[in-house]
């Protein structure tokens, strides 16, 4: 399979990952789709291609001097030396116009794990094009976010990082409460549980379908 971009995500263990994948309609580990109703397919259309995850290092094209093998070797070495991170309990939260599973409080350990991942793998990231930069700026970035985007290729990193596992695309105001209730029901057994990031996953974006597939999922140093 040929990949156009790569990403490093947190992917929870089963059964939360399976339930999240069934909710979105795409399992990034098995490469299988879930049959959804037309309405549910609509509300999950935007996040579906990425699979159920929390972004740690956002999708990036590979630098010309690097290969996928180089990236995989670096990922394996990194996971062997980085400790797990814990902090906060999970809940369904509204972030702007979409819903996500988030911790009630984000710990310093989670923020630092994300920051170290972003900086460690930055050497593998191809430079952004002017078109990429302008597309990012259409989201009305703050000056701090704009500076982070220019430095790291993504505006929501370092001090701007907010851990979240996306559940929907943009929703209409009159449907958010209903869908949030549905999400609380579907994920009920995991809400109020502590967040523990004990593994990371390296994924690739299929050049043909645009879907993300897990290349490797590794435990962090215990």
């Amino acid at each position: 399979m040929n990949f156009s971009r790569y990403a490093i995500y947190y992917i929870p263990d089963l059964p939360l990952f399976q339930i999240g994948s069934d909710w979105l309609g795409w399992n990034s580990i098995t490469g299988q789709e879930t049959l959804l109703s037309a309405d549910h397919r609509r509300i999950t259309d935007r996040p579906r291609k990425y699979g159920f995850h929390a972004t740690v290092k956002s999708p990036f094209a590979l630098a010309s001097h690097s290969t996928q093998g180089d990236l995989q070797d670096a990922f394996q070495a990194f996971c062997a030396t980085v400790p797990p991170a814990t902090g906060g309990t999970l809940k369904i939260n509204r972030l702007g116009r979409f819903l996500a599973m988030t911790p009630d409080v984000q710990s310093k350990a989670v923020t630092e794990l994300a920051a170290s991942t972003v900086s460690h793998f930055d050497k593998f990231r191809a430079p952004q094009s002017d078109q990429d930069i302008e597309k990012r700026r259409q989201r009305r970035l703050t000056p701090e976010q704009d500076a982070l985007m220019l430095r790291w290729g993504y505006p929501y990193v370092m001090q701007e990082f907010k851990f979240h596992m996306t559940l929907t695309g943009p929703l209409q105001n009159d449907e958010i409460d209903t869908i949030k209730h549905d999400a609380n029901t579907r994920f009920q057994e995991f809400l109020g549980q502590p967040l523990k990031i004990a593994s990371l996953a390296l994924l690739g974006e299929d050049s043909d379908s645009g879907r993300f597939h897990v290349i490797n999922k590794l435990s962090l140093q215990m």
Side-chain angles (χ1 to χ4, degrees):
M1 188 177 297
N2 294 320
F3 298 123
S4 57
R5 293 190 299 170
Y6 298 86
I8 298 175
Y9 291 160
Y10 165 69
I11 290 179
D13 293 332
L14 297 173
L16 175 54
F17 174 72
Q18 185 63 59
I19 294 175
S21 299
D22 290 344
W23 170 275
L24 290 180
W26 171 249
N27 187 312
S28 59
I29 292 179
T30 64
Q32 295 178 325
E33 294 189 44
T34 302
L35 184 62
L36 303 174
S37 68
D39 195 51
H40 194 82
R41 189 169 184 83
R42 172 185 62 82
I43 67 171
T44 57
D45 181 65
R46 183 173 293 186
R48 182 176 305 114
K49 64 177 282 184
Y50 303 98
F52 188 59
H53 78 284
T55 298
V56 181
K57 183 168 181 61
S58 63
F60 60 95
L62 202 60
S64 59
H65 57 74
S66 299
T67 66
Q68 180 178 318
D70 295 333
L71 179 59
Q72 288 182 244
D73 289 345
F75 179 70
Q76 184 170 358
F78 180 77
C79 291
T81 59
V82 176
T86 60
T89 57
L90 294 172
K91 65 176 184 176
I92 305 298
N93 196 21
R94 176 177 176 175
L95 302 178
R97 292 178 56 200
F98 68 94
L99 298 176
M101 184 177 289
T102 72
D104 57 353
V105 177
Q106 184 166 300
S107 70
K108 181 180 178 182
V110 170
T111 303
E112 290 179 345
L113 172 60
S116 64
T117 306
V118 168
S119 60
H120 186 85
F121 290 95
D122 194 60
K123 63 186 176 183
F124 290 99
R125 177 178 62 86
Q128 298 178 97
S129 67
D130 291 341
Q131 184 179 7
D132 292 333
I133 293 172
E134 289 307 311
K135 184 177 180 180
R136 292 288 185 199
R137 284 175 170 165
Q138 291 175 7
R139 297 197 174 187
R140 301 178 183 177
L141 304 177
T142 67
E144 293 78 10
Q145 291 168 346
D146 192 81
L148 290 168
M149 181 266 295
L150 293 175
R151 173 62 184 88
W152 302 108
Y154 193 62
Y156 310 112
V157 297
M158 307 306 176
Q159 68 271 20
E160 293 290 323
F161 173 75
K162 299 293 186 292
F163 179 96
H164 63 282
M165 293 184 281
T166 304
L167 297 176
T168 73
L171 302 173
Q172 301 298 320
N173 287 331
D174 62 357
E175 65 181 351
I176 289 180
D177 288 344
T178 298
I179 297 169
K180 185 176 181 180
H181 179 269
D182 291 345
N184 274 296
T185 300
R186 182 78 68 93
F187 295 95
Q188 182 177 10
E189 65 181 289
F190 306 101
L191 303 181
Q193 298 298 314
L195 170 65
K196 181 176 181 181
I197 303 177
S199 64
L200 290 174
L202 174 66
L203 294 89
E205 182 181 20
D206 182 355
S207 301
D208 295 326
S209 70
R211 299 283 179 93
F212 278 77
H213 299 258
V214 172
I215 298 170
N216 206 354
K217 181 183 178 187
L218 297 175
S219 297
L220 302 180
Q221 181 187 29
M222 303 303 289

